[in-house]
Amino acid sequence: MKSAPFEYRRPASLAEALQILDQHGDDARPLAGGQSLIPLLAMRLAQPAMIVDLGRLPELRGIRRDGSEIAIGAMTTQAQLQRLPLPGILAAALPHVGHFQIRSRGTVGGSLAHMDPAAEWPALAVLLDAELELAATSGRRLLRAADFALGPMTSAIEPNELLVSIRLSGAEGPFGFLEVERRPGDFALVGAACHRGRLVAFATGAIAQRLTRCEALLREDGSPGDLRALAEAEIEATGDVHASAGYRRRVGAALVQRAVEAAA
Ligand SMILES: Cc1cc2nc3c(=O)[nH]c(=O)nc-3n(C[C@H](O)[C@H](O)[C@H](O)COP(=O)(O)OP(=O)(O)OC[C@H]3O[C@@H](n4cnc5c(N)ncnc54)[C@H](O)[C@@H]3O)c2cc1C
């Protein structure tokens, strides 16, 4: 299929892009790497009247480091990021974000805005307690990852806003990051990650899920067997054509246990 007709704009600054979004509201849709949006357009699952190409916005590019803090511009591609020295957990997770071709076009901001329940970035953001910087013509706001992720394919970005950057603090240190995928580069069937005593399961349900009961058990030095049993109970799994909810709970619990062991 071909996409429905749309008007195409390629603003040269963030201010110009935000003005366009302000004028056109729900009718306009930002375009980043296009790895998710272009297929949606081609299948006519999205039919915006206007596409706003973010490819020329200098304000959304670049990576800034200040000690253990990293601010990653929303238009940074996964491949650009992979070429840098990174905290171990990011270096371990990035190769799982699709195939090389997808990582060379797909952006960190696009992954977060798209909010696929099986995607790595929304899970990393919750695990690392990231802050997301959003901009509108009226000003900027910062949201914690837990408040940014609202549901499957749904983030807190308003139609007149753009995600500008993701800010990570203290992402260094021991970690566990594991996922099961049918073939390398496929979306995860189920995944789990552990960092600094925080635990997240992803590709299990509607949204990357922080496992706070399991975290409490870790603080009490619970046994691996108890952790696995609790994880199986705590993971809120859904089933689909790729895997049943039971599979996701069982395999997810095993991954949680292994992620904790790796982080230790
Ligand atoms: C075959 C295949 C396999 C894949 N496998 C994986 C995988 O294993 N793991 C994974 O995480 N992803 C995977 N992806 C998805 C890929 O990572 C996409 O790149 C990503 O989901 C979207 O990023 P993008 O830059 O291409 O965004 P786009 O497709 O351009 O945009 C996606 C959505 O985000 C919005 N958006 C983009 N940028 C902004 C912004 N700055 N502010 C506000 N809204 C914005 C767009 O309007 C659109 O709604 C796969 C994709 C394909 C085609």
Side-chain angles (χ1 to χ4, degrees):
M1 276 175 82
K2 287 187 178 163
S3 67
F6 54 81
E7 193 184 332
Y8 173 81
R9 303 281 287 275
R10 191 163 58 178
S13 70
L14 178 60
E16 189 189 341
L18 293 174
Q19 260 165 16
I20 297 171
L21 292 180
D22 240 10
Q23 283 159 12
H24 296 274
D26 271 341
D27 290 337
R29 194 85 176 260
L31 172 71
Q35 299 303 293
S36 299
L37 184 54
I38 297 290
L40 290 176
L41 293 174
M43 290 184 278
R44 299 203 175 197
L45 293 172
Q47 301 193 18
M50 175 178 292
I51 289 289
V52 183
D53 189 339
L54 308 181
R56 291 209 174 157
L57 306 190
E59 298 91 337
L60 268 55
R61 295 193 175 279
I63 295 150
R64 289 183 306 283
R65 285 174 187 259
D66 184 4
S68 74
E69 294 193 7
I70 311 175
I72 303 168
M75 283 299 285
T76 306
T77 66
Q78 318 289 355
Q80 284 168 340
L81 209 49
Q82 272 190 293
R83 288 195 282 271
L84 301 174
L86 291 171
I89 188 157
L90 297 187
L94 284 174
H96 291 285
V97 183
H99 311 270
F100 173 76
Q101 291 85 344
I102 287 154
R103 294 195 295 273
S104 74
R105 300 287 308 176
T107 64
V108 175
S111 283
L112 285 159
H114 192 58
M115 198 52 72
D116 191 303
E120 285 76 15
W121 267 109
L124 287 170
V126 171
L127 182 75
L128 302 174
D129 197 20
E131 280 188 323
L132 290 307
E133 185 186 10
L134 302 173
T137 50
S138 53
R140 297 197 179 206
R141 61 180 177 135
L142 279 178
L143 279 184
R144 298 225 88 91
D147 301 320
F148 177 80
L150 298 186
M153 310 300 188
T154 313
S155 78
I157 305 174
E158 296 290 343
N160 67 337
E161 284 183 314
L162 286 173
L163 178 59
V164 174
S165 69
I166 171 172
R167 299 179 185 185
L168 302 171
S169 178
E172 305 283 352
F175 67 92
F177 186 95
L178 292 155
E179 61 179 66
V180 173
E181 51 201 3
R182 225 175 261 279
R183 298 164 304 183
D186 282 357
F187 272 108
L189 288 178
V190 49
C194 177
H195 182 262
R196 294 187 194 270
R198 288 167 72 101
L199 277 169
V200 163
F202 64 99
T204 42
I207 202 167
Q209 183 193 355
R210 192 156 161 222
L211 302 175
T212 50
R213 284 160 60 202
C214 289
E215 289 175 8
L217 187 68
L218 280 187
R219 287 193 294 275
E220 292 156 13
D221 271 340
S223 73
D226 285 349
L227 177 69
R228 191 160 168 164
L230 184 58
E232 193 165 338
E234 189 174 9
I235 291 172
E236 291 163 12
T238 49
D240 56 29
V241 289
H242 303 294
S244 68
Y247 173 91
R248 288 194 161 108
R249 268 194 301 273
R250 274 195 307 282
V251 178
L255 295 186
V256 165
Q257 189 190 329
R258 287 189 211 167
V260 168
E261 285 164 5

